[in-house]
Amino acid sequence: MFLALKELRYEKTRYALVAGIMFLISFLVLFVSGLAQGLAFNNASSLETMNVDHFVLDEDAEHQLTRSLVSDEDQQVIQDGEVEATPFGLHMTMLIREEASNVDVAMMSVDLNSPIAPTVIEGQTPSEGQALIHESIQEEGIEIGDVVTDNASDMEFEVSGFTEDQTFSHAPIMHVHEDDWREMRDGEFIVSAAALHGSDEEAAQIDEQLADSEVITLDEALAGIPGYSAEQGSLTMMIVFLYIIAAFVLAAFFYVITIQKLNQFGIMKAIGSPVSVLAKSLLVQVMVLSAVSLTLAIVVTLGASQIMPEGLPFQLTGTMVAISAGLFFLTAIVGSLLSLYKVAKVDALEAIGGGK
Amino acid sequence: MNAKLSLQHVQKTFTDGDRTLTVLKDVSFDIFPGEFVAIVGPSGSGKSTMLSIAGALLSPTSGKLLLDGKNIADASEKERQLIRLHQIGFIFQSSHLLPYLTVKDQLMLMTRLSKESKKDAEQRAERLLTELGLRHRLHQYPERLSGGERQRVAIARAWMNEPDLILADEPTASLDTERGQHVIEQLAHQVKQQKRAAIMVTHDERMLTYCDRIITLEDGAVS
Ligand SMILES: Nc1ncnc2c1ncn2[C@@H]1O[C@H](COP(=O)(O)OP(=O)(O)OP(=O)(O)O)[C@@H](O)[C@H]1O
Ligand SMILES: [Mg+2]
């Protein structure tokens, strides 16, 4: 600590520049991570806010909720099972407006007293002929009391209120009354899927009893949404590359600094310093620089997220920040390995110029 | 009395590609506690090389190197590091201070490395620096010191861990005569008073009066 901190203080400019680079990289990492998470949430906030880990879907639906249709037989199995389950109906459709452009929505029907019912933030729950839509529909100029026409069924709905965190495949969810849902399919209530409120074991138990359906996890259901995997995949790839680039950039910086200081390491060794002291000093510097730049990056990222425009999907949870910070620390340490090797190898006499 | 340091038939050969250069051919001598020995000889005769070997910075190609009777010619890097830290004080031709430590910290570093208690060390550091006329420089960085002042800090640093053996390679080269003589006088005094041993490479004839013995190195051998 003694050496490491004294040197950081003495070589302020040099280390401030390194910390600056580290700050920019970690800021970028955090920002892209926040975007990835924001996009994921924006894509399917309805599934994430249900707070369940398992869904029952048609086996042939390839994990796509909108393609799934749970058979009557399996609906019975779910109902008779010991696990609490909430069946719901879901399909993609479009709202037709006369003087304005059409709007994509995901139409959903679920028991509005069930655990997965949406939270109403404005207006009220829909009765027959009404619809409760995600607040983002307001950006299309739709207000409470407006009447919209569903393209698939040609039925008209009056907007009764707005919800939050209810999106599917980036489209706002439009909750309709059970009776309207039945009317669309000639009186039958079509169950697309069911959310299972139980443990892994309970879910597995149900899975065994199902005939034409299967139990899938939340992650599988998310990955089944068209475009979800591609979206997350490219962002994840960017993040992975950022870490790799960070490791290389930091390795290069630390190495150049170490080479410039070989003479000093030589002096230290010549006066009897063990390699461990030198290694520790280098690691302490790397950690102090990482901690300072990371703290700054976290503060700036959180600050930026406050002033970001509404439409920009950005979400950064504490866990995500902690994971990113941990990974960045690790990256910095990995980046210093080459320098550590160089320090351990340096010959005292050679480094100080042959005893002069 | 047992020799503090004993070189027995020490040979040193450098290989540079396929050329070999034998710098030390066959060097043998003993240094006893309380002795202050000068090494003289023409440039390129191997004085610095010999001193590096004695200071556990360089391993001899062959021969024995006894420190307190123990052969350290083939000591491991770790053993040599500990010897350098605790038993030997080395003063290089140029001061080799760390740019980011103040004068006093240069000395305190030695204490930290040897894990001694800090309390007496602070006093000893200040006393040493005062003796060498650096009292007013305690909190300055090396870049603000003159060459002579830097060399005096290096000397104080070599003394800091109270080693039994002090090795100095032209320590007075960058000092004026008066200051140089004063420093050597102090070194000689410490050696006598505390029964230590010191070897000094020098080109300066005037410094020889403080030494007990003069060893002349010529062409890689004691003559
Ligand atoms: N690492 C090395 N590799 C090859 N040759 C070396 C090496 N170190 C020293 N030499 C050679 O060994 C010889 C003796 O060098 P040394 O530095 O010991 O001389 P010196 O007596 O201290 O000279 P000076 O009085 O000029 O300081 C020189 O010819 C030098 O070139
Ligand atoms: Mg020399």
Side-chain angles (χ1 to χ4, degrees):
Chain A
M1 284 299 252
F2 177 75
L3 285 173
L5 299 185
K6 297 242 172 195
E7 202 209 336
L8 286 182
R9 191 137 48 115
Y10 186 78
E11 297 278 6
K12 276 186 220 75
T13 328
R14 167 188 299 191
Y15 287 110
L17 282 173
V18 176
I21 295 287
M22 291 173 84
F23 158 73
L24 287 175
I25 296 177
S26 49
F27 172 69
L28 203 56
V29 166
L30 283 171
F31 196 82
V32 176
S33 301
L35 274 184
Q37 216 173 26
L39 266 177
F41 191 76
N42 181 266
N43 189 329
S45 58
S46 58
L47 297 193
E48 297 199 18
T49 47
M50 276 182 191
N51 226 349
V52 297
D53 291 328
H54 302 278
F55 293 93
V56 175
L57 252 70
D58 184 348
E59 261 175 4
D60 300 327
E62 292 177 335
H63 298 182
Q64 273 194 44
L65 282 163
T66 47
R67 258 196 214 168
S68 170
L69 217 160
V70 180
S71 66
D72 295 346
E73 191 187 345
D74 283 336
Q75 284 183 41
Q76 200 57 48
V77 171
I78 296 166
Q79 226 171 47
D80 297 344
E82 309 213 323
V83 192
E84 195 190 344
T86 315
F88 61 89
L90 179 74
H91 72 224
M92 301 301 295
T93 182
M94 192 166 74
L95 299 182
I96 308 279
R97 295 186 295 175
E98 266 178 25
E99 315 244 298
S101 59
N102 302 336
V103 190
D104 285 321
V105 293
M107 192 176 285
M108 186 165 175
S109 182
V110 62
D111 179 357
L112 290 171
N113 296 314
S114 73
I116 66 168
T119 316
V120 182
I121 55 166
E122 208 186 325
Q124 55 201 26
T125 50
S127 41
E128 237 187 298
Q130 288 188 321
L132 177 69
I133 314 183
H134 181 241
E135 55 180 336
S136 66
I137 199 85
Q138 291 173 94
E139 288 160 25
E140 300 290 338
I142 292 175
E143 305 290 342
I144 292 178
D146 285 3
V147 173
V148 292
T149 310
D150 169 32
N151 182 46
S153 63
D154 257 341
M155 284 166 65
E156 289 196 335
F157 296 93
E158 183 200 349
V159 179
S160 70
F162 296 123
T163 58
E164 67 176 357
D165 299 339
Q166 288 290 318
T167 54
F168 183 84
S169 198
H170 287 302
I173 287 191
M174 167 167 158
H175 284 273
V176 296
H177 194 265
E178 284 174 54
D179 291 343
D180 289 327
W181 186 258
R182 272 200 193 86
E183 194 186 323
M184 280 177 212
R185 303 298 162 95
D186 307 320
E188 194 189 349
F189 189 95
I190 302 283
V191 171
S192 308
L196 286 183
H197 309 275
S199 63
D200 290 355
E201 293 79 42
E202 289 170 319
Q205 232 172 357
I206 292 276
D207 196 20
E208 278 176 25
Q209 297 164 28
L210 293 169
D212 314 312
S213 308
E214 60 177 342
V215 172
I216 64 168
T217 62
L218 171 64
D219 285 337
E220 286 170 329
L222 288 172
I225 300 171
Y228 185 93
S229 298
E231 205 174 273
Q232 288 299 304
S234 37
L235 285 168
T236 307
M237 186 126 108
M238 268 174 77
I239 295 170
V240 169
F241 270 102
L242 274 177
Y243 280 115
I244 294 173
I245 290 168
F248 275 98
V249 169
L250 295 183
F253 267 95
F254 295 149
Y255 191 69
V256 167
I257 290 180
T258 301
I259 295 291
Q260 286 181 332
K261 292 193 330 195
L262 276 190
N263 167 53
Q264 292 172 24
F265 289 119
I267 295 171
M268 289 287 294
K269 281 192 173 179
I271 62 175
S273 164
V275 175
S276 60
V277 167
L278 304 180
K280 213 178 95 189
S281 161
L282 185 80
L283 281 177
V284 166
Q285 290 184 339
V286 168
M287 290 203 256
V288 167
L289 289 175
S290 307
V292 169
S293 44
L294 260 175
T295 311
L296 205 64
I298 291 170
V299 169
V300 171
T301 310
L302 294 181
S305 72
Q306 297 297 309
I307 56 168
M308 253 182 272
E310 275 285 311
L312 200 66
F314 187 90
Q315 200 185 49
L316 207 54
T317 58
T319 328
M320 196 68 193
V321 170
I323 291 174
S324 302
L327 274 175
F328 195 77
F329 244 95
L330 214 65
T331 309
I333 303 278
V334 168
S336 66
L337 290 181
L338 185 65
S339 300
L340 280 177
Y341 175 79
K342 190 78 192 168
V343 168
K345 283 276 155 222
V346 63
D347 178 76
L349 211 50
E350 241 171 72
I352 61 175
K356 285 177 198 68
Chain B
M1 194 162 39
N2 289 329
K4 182 80 213 162
L5 178 76
S6 173
L7 272 73
Q8 299 176 0
H9 309 293
V10 165
Q11 203 203 355
K12 182 68 190 176
T13 306
F14 288 111
T15 30
D16 185 13
D18 44 30
R19 283 189 315 151
T20 60
L21 179 68
T22 303
V23 176
L24 299 179
K25 295 197 176 95
D26 182 0
V27 177
S28 301
F29 63 83
D30 292 340
I31 306 277
F32 295 93
E35 237 188 338
F36 189 8
V37 172
I39 307 261
V40 295
S43 180
S45 55
K47 303 184 297 293
S48 294
T49 306
M50 197 276 308
L51 210 61
S52 296
I53 290 174
L57 280 164
L58 206 60
S59 296
T61 309
S62 68
K64 279 185 176 173
L65 178 69
L66 304 181
L67 183 65
D68 288 324
K70 188 173 170 278
N71 187 14
I72 59 161
D74 304 312
S76 70
E77 176 51 42
K78 181 74 200 165
E79 287 168 319
R80 290 196 281 132
Q81 174 251 313
L82 287 170
I83 289 167
R84 291 200 295 271
L85 180 58
H86 298 291
Q87 293 177 265
I88 294 170
F90 208 111
I91 303 160
F92 299 91
Q93 244 168 299
S94 55
S95 53
H96 288 314
L97 301 175
L98 293 163
Y100 52 87
L101 293 183
T102 60
V103 167
K104 192 174 156 193
D105 283 340
Q106 305 273 351
L107 270 61
M108 294 308 292
L109 170 64
M110 299 309 294
T111 315
R112 280 171 180 272
L113 289 176
S114 62
K115 302 200 169 67
E116 261 179 72
S117 88
K118 238 177 87 180
K119 246 185 139 255
D120 330 333
E122 293 227 14
Q123 284 174 6
R124 188 169 58 219
E126 286 180 22
R127 198 194 64 229
L128 276 172
L129 291 168
T130 309
E131 278 173 12
L132 288 165
L134 292 163
R135 166 107 223 138
H136 57 300
R137 298 284 188 221
L138 286 185
H139 301 294
Q140 254 159 35
Y141 289 101
E143 61 173 5
R144 302 277 294 273
L145 304 180
S146 73
E149 285 172 326
R150 274 183 226 163
Q151 192 62 1
R152 276 181 276 156
V153 177
I155 292 168
R157 180 176 66 182
W159 273 338
M160 189 60 195
N161 275 359
E162 305 189 314
D164 290 338
L165 179 63
I166 286 179
L167 306 172
D169 199 347
E170 300 185 41
T172 56
S174 58
L175 302 183
D176 57 61
T177 313
E178 203 180 317
R179 188 65 85 178
Q181 277 181 334
H182 181 67
V183 165
I184 299 308
E185 211 175 271
Q186 277 178 321
L187 180 57
H189 177 71
Q190 294 251 341
V191 169
K192 295 291 161 230
Q193 190 195 33
Q194 294 165 28
K195 284 271 168 214
R196 301 193 187 179
I199 305 177
M200 173 176 67
V201 171
T202 185
H203 283 293
D204 192 342
E205 307 257 313
R206 281 164 301 189
M207 302 300 163
L208 298 179
T209 53
Y210 301 99
C211 301
D212 303 308
R213 196 145 54 93
I214 299 167
I215 295 173
T216 309
L217 213 59
E218 222 162 326
D219 225 358
V222 180
S223 66

